[in-house]
Amino acid sequence: MAVGLDTGVPWVMCKEDDAPDPVINTCNGFYCDAFSPNKPYKPTLWTEAWSGWFTEFGGTVHRRPVQDLAFAVARFIQKGGSFFNYYMYHGGTNFGRTAGGPFITTSYDYDAPLDEYGLMRQPKYGHLKQLHEAIKLCEYALVSSDPTVTSLGTYQQAHVFSTGQQKCAAFLSNYNTKSAARVTFNGRQYNLPPWSISILPDCKNVVFNTAKVAVQHTKMQMLPTGSKLLSWETYDEDISSLGESSTLTAIGLLEQINITRDTSDYLWYMTSVEISSSESFLRGGQKPTLTVESAGHAVHVFINGQFLGSAFGTRENRRFTFSGPANLRAGINKIALLSIAVGLPNVGLHYETWETGVRGAVVLHGLDHGNKDLTWQKWSYQVGLKGEAMNLVSPSEATSVDWTRGSLAAQGQQSLKWYKAYFDAPTGNEPLALDLRSMGKGQVWINGQSIGRYWMAYAKGDCKTCSYAGTFRPINCQRRCGHPTQRWYHVPRSWLKPTKNLLVVFEELGGDASRISLVKRSVARVCADAHEHHPTTDNYDIENKGNSNSTGNAKVLLQCAPGQSITSIEFASFGTPSGTCGSFQKGTCHAPNSHAMLEKECIGQESCSIFISSGVFGKDPCPNVLKRLSVQAVCSTADANTQS
């Protein structure tokens, strides 16, 4: 079809080796240096260079070290790659019910260079910026020649682009994941860290190495805004009249999405069962057990209007079984199953065939005459919640029902409960978020706009190790083990009015809404960590037409967010310090005036630059030793209150 349209412009088709001419097949992945298009006259395009990985409720948050991402991009270019495009370069938010997967979180931050809130993620943003500058310096040689590859060692190579007219660019690679290498190229010696590539735009001077990060590291924080949530009121989702407005009945259990047509996450499955007054459990015997087999993604079980319990699937195993003791009475008992979808399928083999909802057996076990299978009884269905039908989230409709005022603590934590409150927009321009740590699972709206699904599902994984060296996979670098996968939910300032903003929350499980707070995202600390004589594109004189020497001293930049200033220097050492941002320690070699000099240059400033050389710090504390500058500084505003 695409070819037949004869559009006159190239089509690209990712991950499709048999794309017909003139369609250009392209690569998506963590690495694409092994990729070649299916015809030699097609350019080598990398349409998705994965900067991180998505997050699922109950899973960990994945981080891809920027050293590895830069290594992957440089490796692709040195092989002759023509184009690379990041996925994601700017993280985002799955507002409303747009998150897919299923089980994908509302946050789609993706560890991107620009985070979900639009802020620079350092050092990823800055290190990639320097990579792009280094590649740009090689432009003429890259587009004028194909690479010549020579071996520099067992794991080391040189990829050289040369026009034969004094235009030459080289990429020196070390694929060893554990050991640095000292190689000789064009009569000069070069030190290559493990799993790294050095870029030489003139085949002489290194302006960038993928493993050497000189830009600042930034630690973010969530701070209180001081904006109070006022006038809390509650409304109970009415389940006593379930089935009265049902328009659909069927024998057996129907697939959820075919009924809801994605108009709601929620679908009620309702039936009844008659219990004989002679049942022994009514006279002190063991209660029967109700089992519900679901195709996903979650279910809350009610008997005679009383909450019995919940069960949930996972992204790896959407199907699950609920099992719990049934509080039945003699006579007719109403069974109601609230099935919840947590996003539509969006990737995978034949995902259009994936089922959602209660699709397996529903059975009562332990009755006097054996088990009672309810699966093929008459079931009635109700799409969505009554609160949704009444549009409780709308500012114009929120007052159309009788909300209950009073202490939230006195009302207790209940399932299927609506909450509303009002708040004024906080001052400033920092990005905002709701802290929902005290809640369970549900959805939230502000001024009628859906912030998205929330779920305080705790992350399970291995967060102990993370190394940039070696082939990256999402399991390599995990965070938030033992904590809620997503605690903070992005609130765009453009959705807010100056005063009386309406917050509406629907809680499925029973959270403590009184502890919800509005927070702002800002920079907490910045760290600099680089060696003297560090290669940098800033020190390369591009006007010297390829005959340049790298000049000047390396420098680091400390920069807080707009409106903040550096208020203290927590650590500063020029010499041989060790550790990383947050855990720096002085080494055996240390310039005594390091801390005082950094305080003089930086305190009270939004940003400051420091050259890395012995002359700047007075007497050389250890001659003939490659020295390092490590700095950790605090950024804050005048009224900042710290809350990690």
Side-chain angles (χ1 to χ4, degrees):
M1 184 192 72
V3 173
L5 289 174
D6 194 22
T7 60
V9 296
W11 288 78
V12 298
M13 183 178 286
C14 61
K15 301 174 72 173
E16 202 66 49
D17 292 338
D18 60 351
D21 285 353
V23 178
I24 303 167
N25 63 306
T26 69
C27 180
N28 292 353
F30 292 115
Y31 307 92
C32 281
D33 53 282
F35 167 77
S36 295
N38 59 19
K39 296 292 176 59
Y41 47 79
K42 295 180 181 180
T44 304
L45 307 181
W46 189 357
T47 38
E48 289 186 11
W50 296 338
S51 60
W53 200 239
F54 59 81
T55 307
E56 61 192 81
F57 285 118
T60 53
V61 176
H62 305 284
R63 295 285 182 253
R64 186 178 187 186
V66 67
Q67 299 96 320
D68 176 70
L69 180 55
F71 174 78
V73 171
R75 193 171 177 177
F76 176 73
I77 293 297
Q78 77 173 7
K79 193 232 176 188
S82 302
F83 164 93
F84 58 91
N85 173 69
Y86 293 102
Y87 182 99
M88 306 286 291
Y89 193 78
H90 189 334
T93 306
N94 293 312
F95 293 119
R97 297 184 299 107
T98 58
F103 292 97
I104 301 301
T105 56
T106 297
S107 170
Y108 206 79
D109 181 83
Y110 216 84
D111 197 35
L114 293 173
D115 71 14
E116 176 181 5
Y117 300 89
L119 302 177
M120 287 187 293
R121 172 170 278 115
Q122 296 285 30
K124 184 166 278 189
Y125 179 91
H127 193 56
L128 292 179
K129 181 175 184 288
Q130 292 185 350
L131 166 67
H132 307 153
E133 291 171 344
I135 293 173
K136 179 69 174 176
L137 291 172
C138 305
E139 178 180 11
Y140 188 87
L142 289 175
V143 301
S144 303
S145 60
D146 292 323
T148 300
V149 183
T150 57
S151 174
L152 302 178
T154 304
Y155 298 99
Q156 295 78 38
Q157 290 181 339
H159 289 68
V160 180
F161 297 79
S162 178
T163 65
Q165 299 175 348
Q166 295 186 330
K167 291 291 185 181
C168 181
F171 292 70
L172 308 185
S173 310
N174 179 15
Y175 302 126
N176 194 304
T177 61
K178 300 184 183 300
S179 302
R182 188 171 180 84
V183 300
T184 301
F185 173 71
N186 284 351
R188 297 188 178 192
Q189 290 191 320
Y190 299 88
N191 293 311
L192 303 178
W195 199 252
S196 77
I197 296 175
S198 286
I199 299 178
L200 293 63
D202 56 2
C203 287
K204 296 177 183 177
N205 296 291
V206 176
V207 300
F208 182 83
N209 179 273
T210 59
K212 295 181 178 180
V213 179
V215 297
Q216 77 174 20
H217 291 63
T218 301
K219 180 176 176 58
M220 307 303 294
Q221 64 184 349
M222 292 299 195
L223 296 174
T225 61
S227 185
K228 303 296 184 182
L229 297 172
L230 305 172
S231 305
W232 278 108
E233 296 179 286
T234 63
Y235 182 81
D236 292 333
E237 175 70 15
D238 181 16
I239 63 174
S240 62
S241 59
L242 276 176
E244 292 179 2
S245 59
S246 174
T247 58
L248 176 63
T249 60
I251 302 300
L253 299 162
L254 303 179
E255 199 277 335
Q256 180 168 343
I257 304 302
N258 280 334
I259 302 176
T260 64
R261 298 295 176 185
D262 193 37
T263 57
S264 172
D265 279 356
Y266 304 99
L267 177 65
W268 285 101
Y269 291 71
M270 296 165 287
T271 192
S272 60
V273 60
E274 185 171 3
I275 296 297
S276 170
S277 59
S278 63
E279 285 287 342
S280 58
F281 77 86
L282 295 172
R283 298 184 298 277
Q286 185 174 356
K287 292 180 180 180
T289 298
L290 177 67
T291 60
V292 179
E293 295 180 5
S294 174
H297 307 129
V299 69
H300 305 313
V301 179
F302 296 82
I303 296 181
N304 297 324
Q306 298 298 311
F307 178 59
L308 185 61
S310 304
F312 311 94
T314 64
R315 186 172 174 273
E316 290 74 24
N317 188 8
R318 300 180 302 278
R319 295 183 177 273
F320 62 90
T321 299
F322 168 85
S323 181
N327 295 316
L328 299 170
R329 61 197 179 201
I332 301 298
N333 293 261
K334 293 182 178 181
I335 295 177
L337 312 175
L338 181 58
S339 181
I340 304 104
V342 190
L344 298 180
N346 66 352
V347 69
L349 187 63
H350 299 302
Y351 70 74
E352 74 279 5
T353 66
W354 295 3
E355 293 184 324
T356 303
V358 181
R359 298 291 287 149
V362 178
V363 180
L364 274 172
H365 302 267
L367 297 174
D368 288 349
H369 297 288
N371 300 334
K372 186 173 183 60
D373 192 338
L374 310 180
T375 308
W376 291 102
Q377 289 195 166
K378 181 180 177 181
W379 289 81
S380 58
Y381 297 85
Q382 180 176 302
V383 175
L385 306 167
K386 290 201 171 180
E388 289 179 307
M390 292 185 292
N391 201 16
L392 293 183
V393 305
S394 168
S396 61
E397 300 294 333
T399 57
S400 63
V401 300
D402 292 327
W403 294 78
T404 301
R405 296 185 180 182
S407 168
L408 296 184
Q411 296 178 33
Q413 299 183 22
Q414 301 175 19
S415 60
L416 306 195
K417 201 174 190 71
W418 295 84
Y419 299 86
K420 78 178 177 77
Y422 292 91
F423 66 95
D424 294 339
T427 58
N429 58 5
E430 302 95 337
L432 303 175
L434 283 175
D435 184 348
L436 298 177
R437 177 179 52 174
S438 64
M439 303 303 286
K441 179 181 181 297
Q443 297 182 36
V444 57
W445 297 260
I446 289 182
N447 294 331
Q449 299 274 5
S450 175
I451 297 297
R453 303 183 184 98
Y454 68 86
W455 192 358
M456 296 303 111
Y458 281 70
K460 299 177 182 178
D462 180 3
C463 296
K464 296 178 181 178
T465 60
C466 179
S467 172
Y468 81 87
T471 302
F472 175 78
R473 293 294 179 263
I475 62 171
N476 291 10
C477 295
Q478 304 179 59
R479 294 185 182 179
R480 294 202 63 78
C481 294
H483 298 276
T485 300
Q486 184 177 353
R487 170 181 170 181
W488 294 287
Y489 292 78
H490 184 198
V491 178
R493 279 188 178 267
S494 60
W495 291 8
L496 301 183
K497 305 179 296 182
T499 60
K500 205 174 182 182
N501 294 281
L502 172 65
L503 169 69
V504 176
V505 180
F506 175 66
E507 170 60 39
E508 299 174 18
L509 301 174
D512 183 357
S514 66
R515 294 170 56 196
I516 295 175
S517 62
L518 189 68
V519 296
K520 58 185 179 182
R521 185 170 177 83
S522 63
V523 175
R525 289 175 174 80
V526 291
C527 295
D529 183 28
H531 293 83
E532 59 181 343
H533 313 308
H534 189 286
T536 171
T537 54
D538 293 338
N539 295 341
Y540 182 81
D541 183 6
I542 195 171
E543 299 301 324
N544 263 347
K545 304 184 185 305
N547 295 319
S548 170
N549 289 317
S550 188
T551 59
N553 296 314
K555 68 176 181 179
V556 295
L557 172 68
L558 295 176
Q559 186 168 20
C560 298
Q564 291 184 313
S565 61
I566 298 173
T567 52
S568 68
I569 302 296
E570 293 184 321
F571 181 90
S573 177
F574 177 70
T576 56
S578 60
T580 57
C581 186
S583 60
F584 288 132
Q585 294 181 326
K586 292 180 182 179
T588 55
C589 166
H590 168 68
N593 65 339
S594 301
H595 196 275
M597 190 229 133
L598 266 295
E599 285 190 326
K600 179 181 177 182
E601 292 292 325
C602 299
I603 295 295
Q605 304 296 316
E606 182 178 306
S607 64
C608 61
S609 298
I610 307 100
F611 284 99
I612 308 176
S613 69
S614 300
V616 173
F617 294 92
K619 183 179 178 181
D620 191 337
C622 43
N624 303 319
V625 173
L626 182 63
K627 288 167 284 295
R628 170 184 178 187
L629 173 63
S630 297
V631 185
Q632 181 168 304
V634 174
C635 295
S636 61
T637 55
D639 60 345
N641 297 308
T642 301
Q643 177 186 331
S644 297

